[in-house]
C-alpha cells in the first residue's frame, strides 16, 4: 500500500519488496517534482506572453530596443521544450535499470496523478509560447528591415538633393 501526496509518502510493503518499491517511488517523485516545477514556471510566464501578443500586430522603434529581452524569452521557451522532452521520455520509459516491479509502481503513481495528461497540457501551453514568439520574432524582423530600408531611402534622398543643389550652384556660377 502506498499513500502519496506531494512531499510525503506512506509505504506499507513486505520487507522483500521495499527496495523495488522505494526505487519506483523515488523515480515517480522526481518526475512529479520536475513536472510541477515546469507547470509553475510556465504559469508564471503567462503574463509576459500576453504582453508579447501585441507585438504580433504592432511593432515600434522602441520595441526594437527590447529585442534582447525577447531573445531571452524565446531561449527560455526552448529550455522548457527540452525539459518537457526529457520528462516525457522519463515518464514513458521509467528509469534505466529499474526492475519490473519498480517500473510498475512508478507508472501506476504517474497514472493516479494524471501525469500523462499534465504533460500533454504542458506541451500545448509551450506550443502557444513557441507560436507567439515565432510570430513576434518574424514581425520584429520585418519591422527592423523596413526601418533600416526607410533610413537608407532617406539617406539616398538627402544625397540626391545635395547633388541637385551642387549642380544648381555649379550651373549658377557658370
Amino acid at each position: 500500500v502506498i499513500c502519496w501526496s506531494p512531499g510525503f509518502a506512506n509505504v506499507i510493503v513486505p520487507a522483500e519488496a521495499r527496495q523495488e518499491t522505494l526505487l519506483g517511488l523515488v523515480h515517480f517523485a522526481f518526475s512529479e517534482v520536475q513536472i510541477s516545477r515546469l507547470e509553475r514556471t510556465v504559469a508564471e510566464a503567462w503574463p509576459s506572453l500576453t504582453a508579447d501578443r501585441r507585438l504580433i500586430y504592432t511593432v515600434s522603434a522602441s520595441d526594437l530596443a527590447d529585442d534582447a529581452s525577447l531573445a531571452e524569452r524565446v531561449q527560455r521557451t526552448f529550455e522548457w521544450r527540452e525539459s518537457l522532452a526529457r520528462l516525457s521520455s522519463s515518464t514513458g520509459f521509467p528509469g534505466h535499470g529499474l526492475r519490473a516491479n519498480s517500473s510498475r509502481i512508478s507508472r501506476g503513481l504517474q497514472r493516479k496523478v494524471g501525469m500523462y495528461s499534465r504533460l500533454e497540457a504542458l506541451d500545448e501551453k509551450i506550443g502557444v509560447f513557441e507560436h507567439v514568439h515565432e510570430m513576434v520574432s518574424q514581425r520584429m524582423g520585418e519591422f527592423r528591415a523596413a526601418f533600416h530600408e526607410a533610413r537608407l531611402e532617406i539617406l539616398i534622398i538627402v544625397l540626391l538633393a545635395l547633388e541637385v543643389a551642387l549642380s544648381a550652384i555649379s550651373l549658377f556660377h557658370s
Side-chain angles (χ1 to χ4, degrees):
V1 176
I2 299 174
C3 296
W4 178 87
S5 67
F8 176 79
N10 190 7
V11 181
I12 303 171
V13 294
E16 62 273 3
R18 280 190 189 135
Q19 184 68 24
E20 287 184 24
T21 302
L22 182 61
L23 288 174
L25 186 59
V26 166
H27 180 269
F28 160 75
F30 177 78
S31 298
E32 171 62 23
V33 165
Q34 295 300 315
I35 289 171
S36 295
R37 185 178 297 147
L38 186 56
E39 287 171 328
R40 228 178 3 265
T41 302
V42 170
E44 290 168 357
W46 206 261
S48 71
L49 181 71
T50 302
D52 285 345
R53 280 193 332 222
R54 77 164 181 79
L55 295 172
I56 295 172
Y57 303 104
T58 307
V59 177
S60 67
S62 63
D63 294 321
L64 292 179
D66 194 35
D67 198 29
S69 177
L70 176 64
E72 288 174 13
R73 292 191 299 277
V74 169
Q75 179 62 34
R76 178 191 63 196
T77 303
F78 285 139
E79 291 167 2
W80 294 344
R81 177 60 68 192
E82 292 170 9
S83 295
L84 182 63
R86 282 192 303 274
L87 285 168
S88 295
S89 65
S90 73
T91 55
F93 306 100
H96 178 68
L98 284 184
R99 292 188 176 147
N101 195 36
S102 297
S103 180
R104 182 183 57 76
I105 289 167
S106 183
R107 281 195 310 267
L109 288 167
Q110 289 170 358
R111 277 192 300 277
K112 270 196 185 297
V113 299
M115 194 172 285
Y116 303 115
S117 61
R118 289 168 61 199
L119 287 170
E120 288 175 4
L122 269 171
D123 179 55
E124 290 178 17
K125 289 176 183 177
I126 292 171
V128 170
F129 276 86
E130 290 170 331
H131 187 64
V132 168
H133 287 153
E134 179 181 343
M135 289 190 303
V136 168
S137 295
Q138 181 178 357
R139 182 76 171 133
M140 286 186 73
E142 291 168 355
F143 182 83
R144 185 180 297 107
F147 184 73
H148 291 302
E149 286 174 12
R151 290 172 67 186
L152 184 60
E153 288 172 0
I154 290 170
L155 179 63
I156 290 171
I157 291 170
V158 168
L159 289 174
L160 288 173
L162 185 61
E163 183 180 359
V164 167
L166 289 174
S167 293
I169 290 172
S170 173
L171 198 85
F172 182 70
H173 284 292
S174 344

